[in-house]
Amino acid sequence: MTQTFDVVVIGGGPSGATAAHDLALAGRSVALIDKAGRIKPCGGAVPPRLIRDFDIPDSQLVAKINTARMISPTGRQVDIPIEDGYVGMVDREHFDEFLRLRAAEAGAARHTGTFLRIERSGNVATVFYRDKASGEEVRLDTRLVIGADGARSGVARAEVKGGKEIPYVIAYHEIIEAPDAVGSYDPARCDVVYDGQISPDFYGWVFPHGTSASVGMGTGRDGVDLKEATRALRAASGLADCPTIRKEGAPIPLKPLERWDNGRDLVLAGDAAGVVAPSSGEGIFYAMVGGRVAAVACEKVLATGQAAHLATARKRFMKDHKAVFKILGAMQDAYYKSDERRERFVTLCHDVDVQRLTFEAYMNKELVKARPMAHIKIGIKNLAHLMGIVPATGARQA
């Protein structure tokens, strides 16, 4: 007799693996389908809240960063110290597999293959995938489905209204063998490069990963040579001669979908739902939160039989993170349009209040409300820069 799972999770990245882990821990029968061999291009930064909320062991951190450097189009640099903590760095090749193994240890059944389609009969959904080892088409019967198969999700396109339309940038990076400090490279510092020659509408990055580093960029514009831009970024950082370990590219969504469920038996999570932060492109934390809220929503449906609970995944996520996404989206719209605007943005980053509030919000994943006067000052300075009242290369502190 064919087993009917409680939930089949399609996609084994941080979002899908988290959902499978949580549901298996809750005693549900779960299958996790992952397309092995794919590693998402990612800087790999994980804030303390992720480490705390998702119980990530120190062994998964390949580096601990204590400074972020913002670099303007004219080469001006602003170093922002990370006070009272650090930003952890992970290598997605190993981190994602750690999460999948943890889900399996909790009881999730792992399957390796490529998602094909979903068919239905009565209250049972059948997920079809092509097994990687045999090449055969395999079917899994299930009561519920979580689509966590990344940007341009096949599940979202087939199952959820609006799933075919989502804005994105293309990200590309190269993992290189990283030396000790050389050129402008510092193994304890993340560099973020706001330069239209590297990316006309996003940014470039140099993120240490211990014995390796991620060097890359993103753009939403056609005609940009991502490999050439990354080559230029490596040369500018003194990393041109470092051996390349691997190269990866993928779309990164920049806006949450208006709907994450089909109202019946399926909910999206992670990149498939569009939950990558605007401006920063940060996705690991939000993917894992997305997987967790999708698991909670499925648990409610399984407990009550009411499919309406699927919609609570998006509601819960947006309740906690909508304000941050809105502000980051406005920041990207305001400052990423031109090098002149990017120059002003880096100038704004010189401000101590901007630095403290930005990193407190990043580390804890919520807007800081403890210093209202600082928010007012930042708002005034922001308007002054956008209106051109102050010069882009003005004083380092107001």
Side-chain angles (χ1 to χ4, degrees):
M1 183 175 179
T2 303
Q3 177 184 5
T4 298
F5 289 94
D6 289 323
V7 184
V8 168
V9 182
I10 303 169
S15 185
T18 298
H21 172 262
D22 287 4
L23 285 162
L25 277 185
R28 297 297 181 179
S29 59
V30 184
L32 176 64
I33 304 172
D34 182 58
K35 183 192 298 183
R38 179 183 178 276
I39 307 169
K40 180 181 175 181
C42 177
V46 294
R49 182 172 171 184
L50 181 151
I51 296 168
R52 180 178 67 250
D53 287 1
F54 296 96
D55 194 23
I56 303 303
D58 199 65
S59 60
Q60 284 299 311
L61 303 182
V62 294
K64 295 180 179 180
I65 302 303
N66 56 35
T67 306
R69 171 171 287 181
M70 309 297 177
I71 303 173
S72 80
T74 60
R76 291 187 307 118
Q77 301 171 354
V78 180
D79 284 0
I80 304 177
I82 301 170
E83 299 178 354
D84 302 320
Y86 61 86
V87 173
M89 306 301 293
V90 299
D91 187 322
R92 292 292 297 275
E93 179 181 13
H94 306 295
F95 182 67
D96 289 16
E97 179 62 12
F98 159 77
L99 295 175
R100 290 189 287 267
L101 284 172
R102 188 163 71 171
E105 290 168 358
R110 288 187 65 175
H111 298 257
T112 304
T114 304
F115 166 73
L116 297 173
R117 66 189 183 279
I118 299 173
E119 297 180 1
R120 293 175 175 83
S121 177
N123 293 324
V124 175
T126 301
V127 177
F128 291 84
Y129 73 94
R130 190 165 303 285
D131 182 74
K132 183 176 182 180
S134 68
E136 298 294 324
E137 189 173 288
V138 179
R139 55 180 291 164
L140 299 175
D141 291 339
T142 183
R143 297 172 64 187
L144 297 174
V145 178
I146 294 177
D149 53 332
R152 295 178 177 169
S153 160
V155 177
R157 292 199 302 269
E159 296 285 335
V160 177
K161 182 179 180 180
K164 296 179 181 179
E165 299 86 28
I166 185 169
Y168 60 87
V169 299
I170 298 296
Y172 172 81
H173 79 160
E174 297 177 0
I175 297 292
I176 64 172
E177 292 182 13
D180 294 328
V182 63
S184 64
Y185 176 76
D186 184 337
R189 187 190 68 228
C190 285
D191 290 355
V192 184
V193 182
Y194 296 100
D195 184 348
Q197 295 300 310
I198 300 298
S199 171
D201 58 333
F202 206 56
Y203 63 81
W205 67 82
V206 180
F207 285 3
H209 285 181
T211 58
S212 63
S214 165
V215 185
M217 51 78 69
T219 181
R221 296 189 185 176
D222 295 332
V224 176
D225 189 330
L226 285 76
K227 293 183 178 180
E228 178 57 37
T230 301
R231 194 157 36 243
L233 185 55
R234 286 181 61 168
S237 303
L239 302 172
D241 296 329
C242 295
T244 301
I245 299 172
R246 63 179 191 265
K247 303 176 181 180
E248 296 147 0
I252 308 295
L254 290 179
K255 184 179 180 181
L257 291 173
E258 292 298 323
R259 181 162 185 166
W260 295 3
D261 69 283
N262 66 356
R264 179 179 180 181
D265 57 9
L266 181 145
V267 63
L268 303 175
D271 281 14
V275 290
V276 174
S279 180
S280 68
E282 182 192 0
I284 301 177
F285 172 77
Y286 295 111
M288 295 179 75
V289 171
R292 178 152 289 173
V293 297
V296 170
C298 287
E299 180 64 33
K300 289 181 179 179
V301 175
L302 292 168
T304 66
Q306 298 177 9
H309 286 299
L310 292 171
T312 62
R314 188 182 191 280
K315 290 177 181 177
R316 182 173 177 179
F317 183 96
M318 298 306 286
K319 178 182 178 182
D320 291 341
H321 302 290
K322 181 178 180 179
V324 170
F325 272 52
K326 185 175 182 180
I327 289 172
L328 290 176
M331 182 186 299
Q332 180 171 334
D333 290 342
Y335 285 110
Y336 287 17
K337 291 181 177 179
S338 67
D339 274 355
E340 192 273 338
R341 288 286 183 93
R342 283 185 277 268
E343 197 74 40
R344 291 183 179 278
F345 175 68
V346 173
T347 297
L348 189 64
C349 289
H350 279 295
D351 187 88
V352 173
D353 287 324
V354 172
Q355 294 179 13
R356 288 176 177 169
L357 291 179
T358 297
F359 270 92
E360 285 179 24
Y362 172 78
M363 304 282 266
N364 299 299
K365 288 293 170 274
E366 58 186 15
L367 296 178
V368 181
K369 301 177 182 178
R371 294 198 290 271
M373 288 306 299
H375 283 285
I376 293 172
K377 286 171 60 182
I378 291 170
I380 292 171
K381 293 170 185 174
N382 185 49
L383 286 173
H385 277 284
L386 291 175
M387 295 172 66
I389 296 172
V390 297
T393 56
R396 295 204 168 204
Q397 290 189 24

